Amino acid sequence: MIKYIIRRLVQSIPIFFGITLLSYLILWLAPGDPIIRLYFAPNIKAERRAELRAQLGVDDPFHIQYLRWLIGDDWLRWDSDGDGIADQAFELFTQLDTNGDGKPEPPGSNYGILRGDFGNSFVRKKPVMDIIAAAIPATLELSISALIIAMALGIPIGVISAAKKGSLFDNVARVLAVVLNAVPNFWLGLILILFFGAHLGLVPLGGRCGLTLTGECPQILQRWQYLVLPAIVLAGADLASFSRYLRTSTLDVLSQDYIRTAKAKGLSQRQIDFRHALRNALIPFATLLGPILTNLWGGAAVIETVFAWPGVGRVFFNGAIQQDYPVVMGIVIISAVATILGLMLSDILYVIIDPRIRLS
């Protein structure tokens, strides 16, 4: 198992660098000028615009911007006189105007994403990692709640639908699964807000919690009404996928010889369905669980925007609208790493669910 994980991590290295290169290229080619967006001055003078672009580092060639973002620029400096102060730099980077004073200065302030430095936000003027770290708890809270709801309902619905194939329960479950997959989650979220929030007044219209003196949200049990709607909407599509996938997998398992043997021994239908059939039906289900974890992260971007939920998805959406490139790229890279780890988790789950499988 350890050798397999190490091998997969090594294989993921070129994939990771490919993602960074392609993502940065797409963002670099995106239309629009971040200077106009940030300073709300479409008629800004060319000289001032050049100074601001130099200050942000967005006027450099693509390869220079990419390398500085990836590996930083502090390694380009060295101590030429041995006084312990780095005072020299390679020629390639000596023309950078890091403070916007119109004078080129040597590098040394950026450490690159490979060392956990995603730079500073253009808009908030704060380190990107601090912004993302502050939003991650809200996203994890929403995503984990949605995953629990989807698994707690989707798995038993799928198994019962397979055990009662062709029944009213099976037909209703399949129709609802198609509906949940077909309806856009942002539209469903808006409808639920209007009905349960604006019309009935049962839940708040948005946000993670009410106003507090400390500025921090209380425990989740004290503000569950804020979480229930976004978690249900986010879980909807995954619940439908889980139920349909488990139904198909369970139908295949129920036709096996050992299930007929269990019936011949006089075991109850509940024991056959949930003790013998379910575990083997979960083996192909493991291929779905890993990507689902990262899909929840991506789907939260829309749900968090609709429900004004202060998570990573909303930060990503605002960063894209404001052309805050460091924030957008930071979230893209973190999502890429999560996707790679999620796919690896699917393979590891094979062994946990079925000890007969060996990874080699």
Side-chain angles (χ1 to χ4, degrees), residues 17-312:
F17 282 107
I19 292 173
T20 63
L21 181 60
L22 182 61
S23 301
Y24 202 92
L25 178 62
I26 293 175
L27 200 62
W28 186 72
L29 294 174
D33 190 344
I35 302 302
I36 297 177
R37 174 71 67 176
L38 292 176
Y39 295 94
F40 302 100
N43 299 322
I44 189 173
K45 294 183 178 180
E47 295 80 5
R48 178 56 179 165
R49 182 183 300 179
E51 292 180 3
L52 294 174
R53 291 179 64 86
Q55 183 176 358
L56 295 178
V58 297
D59 61 340
D60 301 313
F62 170 77
H63 64 282
I64 293 180
Q65 293 187 47
Y66 175 72
L67 288 176
R68 186 169 64 241
W69 173 73
L70 184 67
I71 59 177
D73 58 5
D74 64 306
W75 59 276
L76 293 169
R77 305 188 65 178
W78 73 92
D79 183 10
S80 60
D81 52 13
D83 61 355
I85 301 176
D87 51 14
Q88 295 292 333
F90 285 106
E91 184 67 22
L92 179 64
F93 281 87
T94 54
Q95 300 302 314
L96 293 180
D97 181 12
T98 57
N99 57 11
D101 61 358
K103 300 179 180 179
E105 298 181 3
S109 60
N110 183 25
Y111 295 97
I113 66 167
L114 295 183
R115 288 182 284 176
D117 180 13
F118 289 90
N120 293 329
S121 167
F122 290 167
V123 178
R124 301 190 187 185
K125 310 299 181 182
K126 295 170 56 178
V128 172
M129 285 304 298
D130 292 348
I131 297 174
I132 297 176
I136 281 180
T139 295
L140 290 178
E141 177 182 296
L142 178 59
S143 300
I144 293 175
S145 300
L147 182 62
I148 293 174
I149 293 173
M151 294 185 66
L153 297 179
I155 291 178
I157 289 175
V159 175
I160 296 174
S161 295
K164 298 182 178 181
K165 180 182 177 182
S167 65
L168 178 62
F169 180 90
D170 181 31
N171 293 329
V172 172
R174 285 191 293 167
V175 170
L176 290 179
V178 173
V179 171
L180 288 175
N181 272 323
V183 173
N185 54 9
F186 69 88
W187 181 86
L188 179 60
L190 292 173
I191 294 300
L192 293 180
I193 289 175
L194 289 175
F195 183 74
F196 290 101
H199 182 64
L200 298 180
L202 298 177
V203 295
L205 298 180
R208 189 185 180 200
C209 61
L211 297 177
T212 59
L213 296 177
T214 61
E216 298 181 356
C217 289
Q219 296 294 327
I220 189 171
L221 294 178
Q222 301 175 10
R223 51 181 174 84
W224 62 268
Q225 63 272 23
Y226 288 88
L227 178 63
V228 58
L229 279 189
I232 290 175
V233 174
L234 184 59
D238 294 327
L239 190 157
S241 299
F242 287 171
S243 63
R244 297 179 65 184
Y245 209 93
L246 259 297
R247 179 184 183 274
T248 302
S249 181
T250 305
L251 283 175
D252 180 67
V253 171
L254 290 176
S255 64
Q256 301 297 320
D257 292 338
Y258 69 89
I259 296 296
R260 287 191 288 267
T261 302
K263 292 180 180 179
K265 290 182 177 180
L267 296 180
S268 66
Q269 191 64 41
R270 182 183 298 272
Q271 288 179 310
I272 294 174
D273 294 339
F274 288 95
R275 182 176 180 182
H276 295 278
L278 177 59
R279 180 167 184 176
N280 291 281
L282 286 175
I283 296 175
F285 174 76
T287 61
L288 189 66
L289 187 58
I292 281 292
L293 297 176
T294 54
N295 290 340
L296 285 172
W297 178 285
V302 177
I303 301 303
E304 289 176 0
T305 303
V306 171
F307 287 92
W309 190 267
V312 177

Side-chain angles (χ1 to χ4, degrees), residues 319-337:
I321 295 297
Q322 299 168 345
Q323 292 184 320
D324 197 348
Y325 296 154
V327 172
V328 173
M329 289 305 301
I331 297 177
V332 167
I333 297 306
I334 293 176
S335 300
V337 173

Side-chain angles (χ1 to χ4, degrees), residues 5-18:
I5 295 176
I6 294 176
R7 185 168 67 250
R8 284 294 301 271
L9 289 175
V10 173
Q11 293 173 351
S12 300
I13 293 176
I15 299 176
F16 172 78
F17 282 107

